[in-house]
Amino acid sequence: MKSDNPLAIGLSAVRALVVPMIVLWTVATAMVFSYYAIPDVAAALAPLARWQSDSGLFAAFLNRVVFCGVIPGAFLVTVRTLRPRHPFLTVVLQSVWCGLWGIAVAMFYQLLDLTIGGGVDWKRLVAKTAADELILTPFLISPADAVFFFWLGRDLSFERVRCEWPANFAGRLLAPNLLANWCVWIPTSFAIFAFPLPLQIQISGILSSMWALMSLQIGIRSVRNENKG
């Protein structure tokens, strides 16, 4: 897209992600409904909740390493059109990065639970989602991820980062990506906070893995379309 307008770029990204967004929203909603409506589902998730309660931040770290690092990383390594120049090092770095975010997000969820409360009424769900998407995401997660993955996408080369760094990084990359993130994750986060605290970080990691895999599929199709053109 030739436009430098962040809103136009963001809306273009959102349009490209309509189907994955709907799929993710549907899965998240179905998970919440099943948890509260089907006793067997809650029983099946009980060991996961106990593990999170017993292991704490380690469980949060391992969850994101597996679901946001290793599983999407397997596609990076095996799919030729997505394979980076340093595939295994890229997967390791991405896994550690995502694992550290798992710790940070788990601590943030605990803070929200202490300050807003552990109920699942509408007011608390809205308040927690707003804090997540309007404070944590735009001021910490999105800027840090934008810089990290910009470097990762340039084969871990600081020289390439220096040469290819856009003049308007915030407007060209950060703001559009944040808009797409909000469209995808505001409804999804609302569903995540509907779960009890021990399950929130685990469900968040699972849904994040689904989103990463969907994004990789979009990337594959984009590469194929460019090759056709």
Side-chain angles (χ1 to χ4, degrees):
M1 188 169 184
K2 295 181 179 181
S3 173
D4 288 326
N5 186 313
L7 179 60
I9 299 170
L11 290 177
S12 176
V14 171
R15 285 193 294 269
L17 302 174
V18 166
V19 173
M21 280 194 300
I22 294 174
V23 171
L24 195 64
W25 295 342
T26 303
V27 171
T29 302
M31 292 177 71
V32 174
F33 176 80
S34 300
Y35 180 80
Y36 287 103
I38 305 174
D40 288 345
V41 173
L45 291 176
L48 185 62
R50 286 196 297 271
W51 180 61
Q52 176 63 48
S53 297
D54 293 341
S55 302
L57 297 181
F58 173 75
F61 176 82
L62 192 59
N63 170 278
R64 292 302 176 95
V65 165
V66 172
F67 286 108
C68 300
V70 174
I71 293 177
F75 280 76
L76 286 177
V77 172
T78 57
V79 178
R80 183 179 58 83
T81 54
L82 294 174
R83 189 181 302 132
R85 180 174 296 180
H86 310 289
F88 294 103
L89 181 58
T90 297
V91 172
V92 169
L93 290 173
Q94 179 174 319
S95 298
V96 173
W97 178 260
C98 292
L100 294 175
W101 273 126
I103 293 175
V105 171
M107 294 175 66
F108 185 72
Y109 285 0
Q110 292 172 357
L111 177 63
L112 293 180
D113 198 70
L114 288 173
T115 55
I116 297 176
V120 293
D121 57 275
W122 287 94
K123 289 183 179 180
R124 286 189 174 91
L125 294 181
V126 169
K128 290 180 179 180
T129 301
D132 187 15
E133 296 300 325
L134 300 180
I135 298 176
L136 182 67
T137 297
F139 292 103
L140 187 59
I141 293 180
S142 286
D145 273 353
V147 174
F148 177 77
F149 286 104
F150 189 86
W151 170 64
L152 210 64
R154 277 140 192 85
D155 301 318
L156 317 178
S157 169
F158 291 103
E159 179 63 21
R160 284 190 60 188
V161 169
R162 185 185 67 81
C163 294
E164 298 177 27
W165 190 267
N168 184 15
F169 184 81
R172 183 71 182 173
L173 293 177
L174 182 56
N177 288 339
L178 184 58
L179 177 60
N181 180 285
W182 279 337
C183 290
V184 173
W185 282 101
I186 286 178
T188 306
S189 295
F190 194 85
I192 289 170
F193 288 121
F195 285 94
L197 178 62
L199 283 174
Q200 289 173 10
I201 189 64
Q202 295 295 322
I203 299 299
S204 172
I206 294 171
L207 294 176
S208 295
S209 180
M210 290 183 59
W211 174 246
L213 293 174
M214 291 174 186
S215 298
L216 286 174
Q217 292 304 310
I218 293 171
I220 292 173
R221 290 195 297 271
S222 297
V223 171
R224 288 174 179 167
N225 290 339
E226 289 175 5
N227 290 338
K228 289 179 182 178

